[in-house]
């Protein structure tokens, strides 16, 4: 018990240290940005005295360590500060923007897993054959194109030429403001409200960005699954099982896959973290009001409270995912102590 | 072999097929009584009319609030009555009396003199960015309640510190800083003495054609009809969607997903022009693109270099090829569409002449210099063309691209050498630009006033005196004459090469009529917009 | 001649270290040759490198020569890939741009690999407080949203190739450190390291001369696979306006400026896009094949 407690304490302290390091780094970045955040607050043409006054109001004329301590004490009270651009508390903004990115990333990950894992297994089973090579090419291709190109091409083909997909944005105008925000995740909220039309609309708007993001991540998942699977299929117990006369399907899914699944947990955790922060470009092309857009716009205007807040959030998720992956790894794999 | 997998993969295809079917139901064109606009909304600072000081926010504000008068209408040299029905100045030109018309706020209450006085006092007391437009007449938070007074239900008097030209005063009051807010509502929602500033970010209390329903930053703005307001048309709501990419805006317009697209560039406009379902509403606006030469650089401080640069630029080539539909060649510091603007374009590309000037300055071998410019198109393209132009006369330019606000920060800190930037006029009067380009009385690093000329360390006492004289001239005709002379003087005696003036285009679907663009963003109006 | 080299290299009983080393590399090469995708990748990369090096000889126009009247021209005999938004020849710009893009990628790798390797090996070898501190720092950089770090860095310095390279390097090194540390931990306790220590080798010597070289195979695989993501990150930075600046013909910057006409003059953006795609794909093929050859079990 004591050992468990010690290791838990060690993990927790390392997490906190990482987050602290993140905060310091981001804060420093903000002070180094060559944009005057006051301009975002007062407008480009503002007269000089207004700028000086607002700068003092925002506490920006204090020395950096003082500002940092002030920020830390605010943080301790759960106050992430105000965003100069949106005029809202950063916490409120994050609550508004995060579900959109979460929706995209989660859906993309599920899709990537749904397609990527079976493909990886198939490629492993058919190692060396044309099927294997084809799958590898298809997956690697997805990983070789910049996401923004895929997005633009997709809009061109499916929205402009073929008219199958809706345009940029999360939902059609008619549904704007009609659904009560419960979770912020449109697909869930619309179902909760019982509005099936709105649900279909939300799903339709999600389709393109999700498919593109999924394709991009699928490559990594498929490749990893294939590698793990090839390894697992060489294991002794597999050969024994085959010798005993068990069918290949049973061997693959019953015996080899569970080992693979355990190793995939880390891969998936990493992919998810990558998806969350990689959504930036996709959100720009598809006018998706998510964290990525929020972060980039704030950064470009040196509005640092949102930048620090969002960075902490993403960092927290990343660290948390790694932690969960670690724990799951220990729990699921009886060989690991 | 992997048959179970195959089955499941095959099964997954079925939902996809019905997705195609749902595609038809979901993407209807926009409803008849809702106007949908695609616009870049990332520059908004505030929707409080006495605080907001940039183009997009200013446009929203002017559709929610009214001012005493409106400028830039049918007669660009004069103002039209709105909340004020009539006005007059006293013999000394210091006391101005306004008689109010019958207007109603969105709440149904009538607009009274008390509201007008409160609004103008509020503008001064809050003292935000645009306050200088009115407080230049001598109002301070301490004295404003005595100087701007509601005499009775329908009469307001305003007393200026110095004798003032009434046309100048009226033009200034036509800016958003002169917006009339409903005193009762604002006071009710005041928090911590902020005069309702926080509340007015999310709500409106005006007498304009629309009221604010919701502002979701970086997403959308929703306006609903003010039934008690001046709107004449069949719309119930206006929704402005934030769409960053102009190509996407065009696509959405062509498909009917939006009724108006606001930020199309030359490339998209060419396509839109030939589309019979799209009508273009165009207006030259008060935004000038110019090159600034920082006088702290010894090479740039030579007047022959100023002229050489102005004669090296291929104005026509750049305009025709890079920005044909969004800019016109314009070389005066006052924008076309303003009273008294000179539209001469004396400078043309003349490499021989420019080279001779460089030789005269003792710089026949040229020099190296940097030029900062915005990273948003069309600046990079124009900057590269300029780089090639200047190379021909020996000026070797290194381009430095940065986000708009980065360039502004750098210029305000006087860190640039050459800079390609745009200047948007603050209010509808020639003094607005003349002041920032010509009146620099203190060139030191900690001057109290830091106009645009200061940023490039440009101080010319003669120009300053002329600009001040023009500002204070009471006779309207003579005033315009003075400004005309000032502009011509400025063209040849300043380190600023004004090159182009911006033309804004709103691309509307055929069935959407009555949307107006103004020379200042506060003239962009949905007042008469309807859909058929 | 070839046959003798082959025999010498594949000799079962090498008589010198050099012979053994050469033998090793030759075997790797033979294995690689048997992997069709890998060879395709290698060929494409070599072609692009050749194009980049010989750009001045191969280009048909001056990549900076503007011709405003002839903007956005379609591919023709005069301009094989058409012209861009300022009338410059896309074919020539593509070749010169290859220098910038490939140069950026190489610069990043040259920065990242040694540094990451060194940090990881040092952390793994010394353990204890050194390990904790170095890994803490690595974790912080790993947890940091990559794009934020890159964007912020580029914005803080001035946008351009140098800043982009530094920014990408800053975000790319942690995985190398992690990987090197893992490898070091595996070999740290082994006999031959103990032997070196017994013969009086200093810690630094052991790390640099013996441990780091062991990590090289995995490093090569990792680097090759990373190349594609580095290229794409550079292009994405360009797309967001923060990478190489005009008039540089860097491929990402070309796409960024051309995306506004993607619906009309799609080739201006498509051609550099295809170039990026091909090079990335080639690196991915090669990396995949190398991984199969060098380190089949690696994750």
């Amino acid at each position: 018990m004591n050992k468990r407690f010690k290791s838990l304490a060690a993990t927790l302290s390392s997490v906190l240290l990482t987050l602290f390091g993140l905060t310091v780094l981001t804060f420093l970045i903000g002070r180094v940005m060559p944009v005057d955040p006051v301009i975002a607050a007062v407008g480009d043409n503002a007269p000089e005295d207004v700028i000086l006054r607002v700068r003092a109001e925002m506490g920006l004329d204090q020395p950096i360590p003082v500002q940092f301590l002030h920020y830390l004490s605010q943080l301790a009270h759960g106050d992430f500060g105000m965003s100069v651009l949106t005029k809202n508390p950063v916490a409120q903004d994050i609550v508004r923007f995060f579900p959109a990115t979460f929706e995209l990333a989660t859906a993309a990950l599920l899709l990537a897993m749904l397609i990527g894992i079976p493909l990886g297994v198939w490629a492993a089973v058919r190692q060396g054959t044309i099927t294997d090579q084809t799958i590898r090419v298809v997956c690697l291709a997805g990983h070789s194109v910049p996401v923004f190109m895929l997005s633009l091409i997709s809009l061109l083909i499916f929205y402009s030429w073929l008219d199958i997909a809706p345009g940029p944005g999360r939902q059609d105008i008619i549904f704007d403001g009609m659904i009560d925000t419960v979770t912020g995740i449109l697909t869930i909220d619309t179902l909760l409200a019982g509005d099936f039309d709105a649900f279909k609309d939300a799903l339709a708007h999600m389709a393109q960005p999700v498919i593109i993001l999924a394709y991009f991540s699928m490559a990594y998942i498929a490749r990893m699954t294939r590698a793990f699977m090839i390894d697992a299929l060489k294991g002794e117990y597999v050969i024994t099982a085959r010798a005993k006369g068990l069918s290949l399907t049973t061997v693959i899914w019953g015996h080899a896959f569970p080992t693979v699944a355990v190793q995939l947990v880390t891969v998936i955790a990493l992919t998810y973290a990558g998806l969350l922060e990689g959504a930036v470009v996709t959100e720009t092309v598809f006018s998706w009001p998510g964290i990525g857009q929020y972060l980039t716009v704030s950064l470009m205007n040196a509005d640092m409270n949102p930048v620090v807040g969002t960075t902490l959030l993403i960092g927290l998720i990343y660290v948390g995912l790694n932690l969960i992956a670690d724990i799951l790894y220990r729990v699921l794999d009886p060989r690991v102590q | 072999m992997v048959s179970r997998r195959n089955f499941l993969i095959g099964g997954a295809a079925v939902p996809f097929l019905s997705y195609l079917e749902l595609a038809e139901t979901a993407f209807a064109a926009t409803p008849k009584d809702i106007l949908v606009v695609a616009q870049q909304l990332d520059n908004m600072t505030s929707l409080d009319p006495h605080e907001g000081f940039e183009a997009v926010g200013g446009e929203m504000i002017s559709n929610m609030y009214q001012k005493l008068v409106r400028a830039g209408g049918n007669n660009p040299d004069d103002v039209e009555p709105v909340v004020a029905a009539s006005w007059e100045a006293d013999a000394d030109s210091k006391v101005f009396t306004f008689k109010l018309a019958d207007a109603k706020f969105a709440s149904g209450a009538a607009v009274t003199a008390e509201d007008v006085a409160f609004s103008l006092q509020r503008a001064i007391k809050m003292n935000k960015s645009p306050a200088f437009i009115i407080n230049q007449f001598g109002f301070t938070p301490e004295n404003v309640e005595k100087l701007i007074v509601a005499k009775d239900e329908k009469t307001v008097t305003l007393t200026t510190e110095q004798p003032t030209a009434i046309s100048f005063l009226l033009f200034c009051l036509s800016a958003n800083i002169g917006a009339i807010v409903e005193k009762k509502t604002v006071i009710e929602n005041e928090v911590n003495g902020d005069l309702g500033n926080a509340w007015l970010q999310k709500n409106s209390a005006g007498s304009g054609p629309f009221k604010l329903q919701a502002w979701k930053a970086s997403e959308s703005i929703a306006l609903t009809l003010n039934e008690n307001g001046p709107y004449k048309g069949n719309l119930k709501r206006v929704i402005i969607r934030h769409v960053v990419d102009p190509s996407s805006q065009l696509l959405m317009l062509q498909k009917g997903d939006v009724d108006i697209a606001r930020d199309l560039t030359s490339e998209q406009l060419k396509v839109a022009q030939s589309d019979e379902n799209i009508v273009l509403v165009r207006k030259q606006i008060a935004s000038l693109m110019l090159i600034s030469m920082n006088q702290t650089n010894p090479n740039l401080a030579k007047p022959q270099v100023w002229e050489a640069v102005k004669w090296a630029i291929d104005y026509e080539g750049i305009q025709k090829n890079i920005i044909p539909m969004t800019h016109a060649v314009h070389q005066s510091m006052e924008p076309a569409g303003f009273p008294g603007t000179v539209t001469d374009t004396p400078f043309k590309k003349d490499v021989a002449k420019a080279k001779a000037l460089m030789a005269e300055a003792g710089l026949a071998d040229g020099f190296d210099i940097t030029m900062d410019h915005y990273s948003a198109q069309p600046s990079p393209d124009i900057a590269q063309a300029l780089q090639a132009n200047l190379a021909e006369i020996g000026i070797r330019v290194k381009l430095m691209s940065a986000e708009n606000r980065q360039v502004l920060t750098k210029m305000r800190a006087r860190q640039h050498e050459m800079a390609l930037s745009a200047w948007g006029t603050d209010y509808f009067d020639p003094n607005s630009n003349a002041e920032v380009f010509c009146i620099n009385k203190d060139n030191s690093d900690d001057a109290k006033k830091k106009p645009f000329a200061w940023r490039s360390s440009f101080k010319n006492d003669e120009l300053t005196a002329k600009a001040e004289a023009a500002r204070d001239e009471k006779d309207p005709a003579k005033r315009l004459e003075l400004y005309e002379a000032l502009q011509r003087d400025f063209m040849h005696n300043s380190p600023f090469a004004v090159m182009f003036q911006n033309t804004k285009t709103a691309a509307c679907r055929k069935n959407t009529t009555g949307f107006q663009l103004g020379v200042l963003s506060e003239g962009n109006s949905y007042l008469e917009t309807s859909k058929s | 001649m070839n046959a003798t080299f082959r025999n010498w290299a594949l000799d079962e009983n090498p008589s010198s270290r050099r012979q053994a080393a050469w033998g090793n590399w030759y075997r790797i090469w033979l294995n690689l040759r048997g992997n069709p995708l890998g060879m395709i990748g290698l060929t494409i990369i070599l072609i692009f490198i050749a194009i980049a090096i010989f750009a001045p000889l191969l280009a048909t126009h001056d990549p900076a020569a503007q011709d405003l009247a002839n903007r956005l021209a379609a591919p023709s005999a005069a301009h094989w890939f058409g012209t861009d938004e300022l009338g410059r020849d896309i074919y020539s710009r593509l070749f010169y741009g290859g220098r910038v893009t490939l140069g950026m990628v190489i610069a990043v790798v040259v920065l990242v690999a040694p540094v990451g390797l060194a940090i990881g090996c040092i952390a793994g070898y010394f353990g204890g407080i050194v390990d904790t501190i170095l890994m803490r720092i690595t974790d912080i950089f790993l947890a940091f949203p990559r794009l934020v770090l890159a964007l912020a860095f580029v914005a803080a310095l001035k946008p351009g190739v140098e800043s982009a390279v530094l920014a990408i390097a800053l975000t790319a090194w942690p995985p190398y450190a992690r990987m090197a540390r893992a490898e070091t931990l595996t070999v740290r306790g082994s006999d031959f390291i103990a032997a070196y220590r017994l013969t009086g080798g200093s810690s630094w010597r052991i790390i640099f001369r013996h441990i780091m070289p062991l990590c090289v195979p995995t490093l090569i695989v990792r680097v090759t696979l990373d190349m594609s993501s580095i290229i794409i990150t550079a292009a994405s930075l360009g797309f967001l306006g923060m990478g190489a600046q005009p008039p540089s013909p860097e491929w990402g910057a070309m796409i960024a400026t051309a995306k506004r006409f993607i619906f009309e003059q799609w080739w201006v953006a498509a051609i550099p896009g295809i170039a990026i795609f091909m090079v990335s794909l080639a690196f991915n093929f090669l990396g995949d094949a190398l991984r199969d050859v060098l380190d089949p079990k690696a994750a």
Side-chain angles (χ1 to χ4, degrees), chain A residues 30-41:
Chain A
R31 297 309 167 248
V32 162
M33 288 292 285
V35 182
D36 189 350
V38 178
I39 297 188

Side-chain angles (χ1 to χ4, degrees), chain A residues 46 53 87 159 172 301, chain B residues 26 45 127 219 255 405 412:
Chain A
R53 192 165 27 101
K87 304 255 183 310
Y159 177 51
D172 265 1
N301 286 291
Chain B
T45 55
N127 203 13
E219 215 180 308
K255 299 226 162 275
R405 294 220 161 110
R412 295 187 91 114

Side-chain angles (χ1 to χ4, degrees), chain B residues 217-347:
Chain B
S218 293
E219 215 180 308
S220 65
I221 300 178
L223 305 174
T224 53
L225 174 65
N226 171 10
E227 275 105 21
N228 298 310
Y231 176 69
K232 316 180 252 295
N234 62 0
L235 295 176
K236 294 256 171 14
R237 288 172 78 193
V238 177
I239 301 190
I240 299 115
R241 291 189 94 160
H242 174 55
V243 180
V244 170
D245 193 20
S247 312
S248 302
Q249 286 192 11
L250 178 63
L251 264 186
M252 293 169 83
L253 185 70
Q254 287 171 322
K255 299 226 162 275
D257 284 342
V258 300
D259 300 305
I260 304 183
R262 296 290 304 276
D263 302 294
L264 302 187
T265 65
S266 290
E267 290 80 27
Q268 290 93 25
L269 286 173
K270 285 201 203 118
V271 175
Q273 252 185 339
S274 49
D275 188 328
E276 55 181 20
N277 286 318
I278 300 179
V279 172
L280 299 184
V281 175
R282 312 188 62 203
K283 182 88 183 178
Q284 226 179 359
I285 63 168
S287 170
L288 300 173
M289 187 179 294
L290 68 151
I291 300 178
S292 301
M293 297 179 244
N294 195 337
Q295 298 300 285
T296 51
N297 179 294
N299 289 325
L300 296 178
K302 302 189 158 104
Q304 296 93 343
V305 173
W306 306 346
E307 288 283 292
V309 168
K310 294 178 191 177
W311 287 106
I313 301 173
D314 183 11
Y315 304 90
E316 295 290 335
I318 295 178
Q319 192 275 334
K320 212 158 44 101
N321 292 304
I322 302 182
I323 35 178
M325 303 200 56
T326 53
H327 292 77
V329 177
H330 185 87
Q331 294 173 349
S332 162
M333 63 158 179
E334 298 284 357
F338 267 41
T341 297
V342 159
T343 48
D344 306 345
T345 53
F347 298 106

Side-chain angles (χ1 to χ4, degrees), chain B residues 245 247 251 267-268 271 317 321-322 377 381 384-385 387-388 401 406, chain C residues 66 68-69 71 85-86 88 155 159 245-247 259-261 263-264:
Chain B
D245 193 20
S247 312
L251 264 186
E267 290 80 27
Q268 290 93 25
V271 175
N321 292 304
I322 302 182
Q377 292 294 353
D381 282 354
Q384 288 174 77
Q387 186 186 40
S401 158
Q406 264 182 263
Chain C
Q66 296 178 10
L68 287 185
R71 310 168 72 213
E85 67 277 356
L86 288 175
R88 297 174 293 208
Q245 298 299 307
K259 82 171 164 95
R260 1 169 214 154
F261 344 99
F263 295 127
E264 298 296 311

Side-chain angles (χ1 to χ4, degrees), chain C residues 8 54 63 72 93 115 145 167 171 175 227 249 276:
Chain C
W8 175 77
F54 295 113
L72 301 172
R93 281 176 73 74
V115 170
T171 55
M227 293 280 200
I276 292 182

Side-chain angles (χ1 to χ4, degrees), chain B residues 461-496:
Chain B
D461 295 329
E462 210 184 293
L463 278 177
T464 303
K466 285 189 182 167
E468 287 184 320
R471 176 191 67 199
D472 299 331
E473 174 57 50
K474 300 227 197 2
D475 175 48
K478 182 124 198 307
R479 193 166 180 252
L480 295 184
E481 267 173 38
L482 287 176
Y483 275 116
E484 285 174 23
L486 182 64
Q487 289 168 66
R488 296 199 168 93
D489 200 353
F490 186 81
M491 266 192 231
H492 293 280
N493 292 316
S494 73
F496 298 105

Side-chain angles (χ1 to χ4, degrees), chain A residues 180-259:
Chain A
D180 293 321
T181 310
V182 175
T183 60
I185 301 174
L186 265 185
T187 34
I188 298 184
D189 283 348
T190 46
L191 284 178
L192 285 178
D195 190 338
F196 204 58
D197 280 328
F199 174 71
K200 287 199 285 185
D201 180 62
L203 214 58
H205 279 265
M206 249 173 68
Q208 273 184 103
V210 165
I211 293 177
I212 290 172
L213 283 174
Y215 185 41
F216 201 66
S217 334
M218 181 184 85
Y220 186 54
I221 294 182
R223 185 200 290 163
M224 284 304 152
T225 313
R226 176 180 175 279
F228 294 148
M229 199 60 182
I230 289 181
D231 230 20
L233 286 175
K234 291 200 192 111
E236 277 197 9
Y237 60 98
V238 170
I239 300 179
T240 325
R242 287 287 277 157
K244 280 204 238 162
L246 289 175
S247 82
L248 191 58
T249 320
T250 325
V251 169
I252 291 176
W253 296 109
H255 291 98
F257 192 68
T259 334

Side-chain angles (χ1 to χ4, degrees), chain C residues 83-197:
Chain C
T83 60
D84 71 357
E85 67 277 356
L86 288 175
R88 297 174 293 208
D89 179 44
I90 295 181
Y91 178 75
S92 311
R93 281 176 73 74
L94 193 70
F95 283 11
Y96 276 90
R99 302 182 138 191
V100 184
T101 308
L102 289 177
M104 275 174 82
V105 170
I106 294 176
V108 170
V109 170
V110 161
L111 275 177
V112 161
V115 170
L117 202 54
I119 292 182
C121 289
I122 293 174
Y125 187 75
F126 287 118
I129 189 90
V130 173
D131 184 22
T132 320
I133 294 180
L134 284 177
M135 279 305 112
R136 213 36 59 233
I137 297 178
T138 314
D139 275 345
I140 291 176
F141 274 92
L142 258 182
F144 212 95
R146 220 172 341 148
L147 207 54
V148 175
L149 199 53
L151 280 176
F153 207 72
V154 171
L157 311 176
K158 41 182 185 53
V161 172
E162 302 87 1
S163 321
V165 166
L166 275 173
I168 301 176
L170 254 188
T171 55
W173 70 267
Y176 293 90
R178 271 250 165 121
M179 174 208 87
R181 178 177 174 271
E183 295 263 336
T184 312
L185 285 177
T186 344
V187 299
R188 185 169 68 164
S190 59
D191 290 342
F192 68 98
I193 297 293
Y196 279 124
R197 238 182 275 137

